[in-house]
Amino acid sequence: MVARRRKRAARDPQEGIPSPPGYSAVPIKFSEKQQASHYLYMREHRVREGTNSSWPQKRTLFVLNVPPYCTTECLSRLLSPCGPVQSVELQEKPDLTESAKEPKSKFFHPRPVPGFQVAYVVFQKPNGVSAALALKGPLLVSTESHPVKSGIHKWLSDYADSVLDPEALRVEVDSFMEVYDKKIAEEEAKAKEEEGVPDEEGWVKVTRRSRRPVLPRTEAASLRVLEREKRKRARKELLNFYAWQHRETKMEHLAQLRKKFEEDKQRIELMRAQRRFRPY
């Protein structure tokens, strides 16, 4: 009988806590008063060959099971002994798109994740990842020199941070609109230059620019158009819906044609009678 081998999860040598295969378990505590440890599971972030990643290879640490009270500043401080930390980003789930991301504004904060999160920690040097994987812990999240707010104090702080400075927001919006207007002007100038100019193969690019500018439609004109469409729709509604209605419509049309034909005959006879020669 062939014995079946089961792949078991690696265990921490000190606590005997199981960790997923390929991950290193690092214990952390909220403060010194806390007796039980919480475990972070870390590994080096890798992607498939030929895949573009927004995270630098060999310098990015992927962290699972990040508790809600552990912020980006806390992770940066906990892992700073391993080497200079370039950036820390928390997400609700792992990033599977591996696409470049647009820079986020400091005035619009994403909705906080209510539960546990994953983190991407980017070090300035590759040896920071290997040093972080060798950590033993436990690491303290809240210390006397770096206290971490929790409970009602954290809620009040988050609310105070959510109140925006109107002047600073106006400055950022104005700068964004200046860049946007400049980009649109450059695109229009480029399209105007390419209009009517054939390319290398002799093809002429057709643009949406029109010689006659279209006047903007007013509200009154829009209402008239809608009323006209409504009348057309009402005339077509339930017209000759049944077969017998269609037959009656045809019979009425034929009767009107016969009546008009008889009237035309009488009119022609009257005109002929009026044109007869009468010398006396």
Side-chain angles (χ1 to χ4, degrees), residues 228-270:
R228 193 180 306 117
E229 294 294 332
K230 187 176 179 181
R231 288 197 298 268
K232 287 182 180 179
R233 204 179 304 114
R235 287 197 299 267
K236 292 180 180 179
E237 256 181 0
L238 299 179
L239 181 62
N240 298 335
F241 185 77
Y242 298 102
W244 61 270
Q245 289 180 334
H246 190 61
R247 290 195 299 270
E248 286 188 356
T249 303
K250 282 188 175 181
M251 296 296 292
E252 291 177 359
H253 183 63
L254 290 175
Q256 291 177 1
L257 290 177
R258 291 193 184 97
K259 183 179 179 181
K260 187 177 180 181
F261 179 71
E262 294 297 333
E263 291 177 354
D264 291 342
K265 284 176 62 177
Q266 294 177 5
R267 191 179 301 108
I268 291 172
E269 290 295 334
L270 181 61

Side-chain angles (χ1 to χ4, degrees), residues 24-90:
S24 297
V26 178
I28 64 171
K29 292 183 179 181
F30 182 77
S31 62
E32 294 180 353
K33 298 180 180 179
Q34 186 178 1
Q35 297 180 358
S37 298
H38 180 83
Y39 281 80
L40 300 179
Y41 302 109
M42 306 177 181
R43 69 170 174 84
E44 182 183 348
H45 175 65
R46 298 187 183 92
V47 295
R48 297 178 181 176
E49 295 183 0
T51 305
N52 296 327
S53 176
S54 56
W55 311 106
Q57 299 298 312
K58 298 183 180 181
R59 293 194 296 115
T60 305
L61 182 70
F62 179 61
V63 187
L64 287 175
N65 203 29
V66 181
Y69 55 80
C70 195
T71 61
T72 56
E73 293 80 5
C74 294
L75 279 178
S76 178
R77 179 172 51 83
L78 293 177
L79 299 175
S80 58
C82 303
V85 178
Q86 180 178 336
S87 64
V88 178
E89 183 171 343
L90 294 172

Side-chain angles (χ1 to χ4, degrees), residues 149-169:
K149 297 179 181 179
S150 61
I152 189 66
H153 302 288
K154 185 178 184 302
W155 297 342
L156 293 175
S157 178
D158 293 343
Y159 175 76
D161 295 339
S162 64
V163 179
L164 305 179
D165 183 9
E167 184 62 23
L169 179 61

Side-chain angles (χ1 to χ4, degrees), residues 54-55 89-91 95 97-104 120:
S54 56
W55 311 106
E89 183 171 343
L90 294 172
Q91 296 184 2
D95 187 8
T97 57
E98 303 297 347
S99 58
K101 299 180 180 179
E102 298 181 357
K104 298 180 181 179
Y120 291 89

